[in-house]
Amino acid sequence: MINATFRLVFPALMLLCGWILVPPDSAAAQCRLCAASPDSASSARSSARSSDKTETPLNIEITANLDFSRLALLNRAGGEVEIDPQSGQRRISGGLTDLGGLSLNGEGRLTGEPGRVVRVHLPERITLSAPNGSTADLVKLDTDLPAQARLDRDGRLNFSFGGRLRVTGNASGQFRGRIAITADYE
C-alpha cells in the first residue's frame, strides 16, 4: 500500500535580476577626465544618480502544498496519479487505487515590480522519498500561468501548479520532497 499523501517543502526564494550599476563617484570621476568644466562634471554626477534605479526583488511564497492524497498500489507494475494545475482535478491510472481524502494542487504567489513579465521554472523530475527508503518520482510539473505571465499593478501574481506522481515496484509510505521553484523577470 502506498500512502502518497506528502507535503512538499518549498524554500522561499528571493531572486534579483540585477543591473550592473556604476557607483556615482566612479561615474563622476570618469566624467571629470572628459569634462571641460566643473559644471559638466556635476551635471554628469546628477544624471548618474538619477539613472540609479534599483530593481524590486522577485519573491516566491508557496501558499498551498501539492498533495496527492491517499492511494494504494495494487501491483508491482505501478501507476500514476496526476493533479491538473488549473482545476486541481486528480486522475489515477495503472495499478493505483484511490483510498479517499482530499488532493490539492499547489499554489504560490510571486511579488515584485508591478507590471513586469516573469518566468517561473519548475524542475523536470523530483525523486520523493518515504521514511522507510521507498521512492517515487514527481514528473511533468506544470503551472496554470500563461506563456507571458505578468505581475499585476500591485506587483503580485498568484499561480497554481500540479504534476504526475509515478509509483513502481513495492513502494510504500508517506512520500516527501522539495521542489526548487525559481522565477525571474524577463
Side-chain angles (χ1 to χ4, degrees):
M1 182 168 73
I2 170 179
N3 179 356
T5 302
F6 70 105
R7 195 170 138 234
L8 298 174
V9 180
F10 300 86
L13 301 175
M14 182 186 309
L15 301 173
L16 292 173
C17 294
W19 295 88
I20 297 174
L21 298 174
V22 178
D25 292 335
S26 62
Q30 184 179 13
C31 290
R32 272 191 226 119
L33 294 173
C34 305
S37 70
D39 290 6
S40 62
S42 67
S43 68
R45 193 176 303 122
S46 354
S47 69
R49 283 190 188 123
S50 66
S51 67
D52 282 356
K53 183 182 177 209
T54 58
E55 194 169 67
T56 305
L58 185 58
N59 295 299
I60 300 175
E61 176 188 0
I62 300 306
T63 56
N65 292 315
L66 186 57
D67 190 338
F68 289 91
S69 192
R70 296 172 17 119
L71 304 162
L73 185 60
L74 301 175
N75 58 50
R76 289 186 179 268
E80 291 184 351
V81 58
E82 178 179 6
I83 295 184
D84 181 72
Q86 292 180 335
S87 67
Q89 182 179 19
R90 182 174 66 163
R91 289 180 288 278
I92 300 171
S93 62
L96 290 175
T97 189
D98 185 9
L99 293 178
L102 181 64
S103 61
L104 300 169
N105 56 349
E107 294 179 357
R109 178 182 307 121
L110 296 173
T111 55
E113 198 167 309
R116 290 289 301 269
V117 175
V118 294
R119 285 183 305 230
V120 174
H121 307 279
L122 299 166
E124 292 190 26
R125 178 177 172 237
I126 294 107
T127 299
L128 306 175
S129 58
N132 66 4
S134 292
T135 61
D137 291 322
L138 183 57
V139 296
K140 297 195 178 190
L141 289 156
D142 197 12
T143 70
D144 65 346
L145 292 172
Q148 288 248 300
R150 184 177 300 274
L151 299 175
D152 67 13
R153 63 186 174 123
D154 296 324
R156 287 186 239 158
L157 176 64
N158 293 319
F159 66 96
S160 297
F161 57 95
R164 282 188 189 164
L165 180 65
R166 287 186 181 156
V167 183
T168 58
N170 60 353
S172 65
Q174 187 170 359
F175 295 95
R176 295 178 187 265
R178 292 178 185 247
I179 299 176
I181 296 176
T182 58
D184 53 15
Y185 293 119
E186 279 194 13

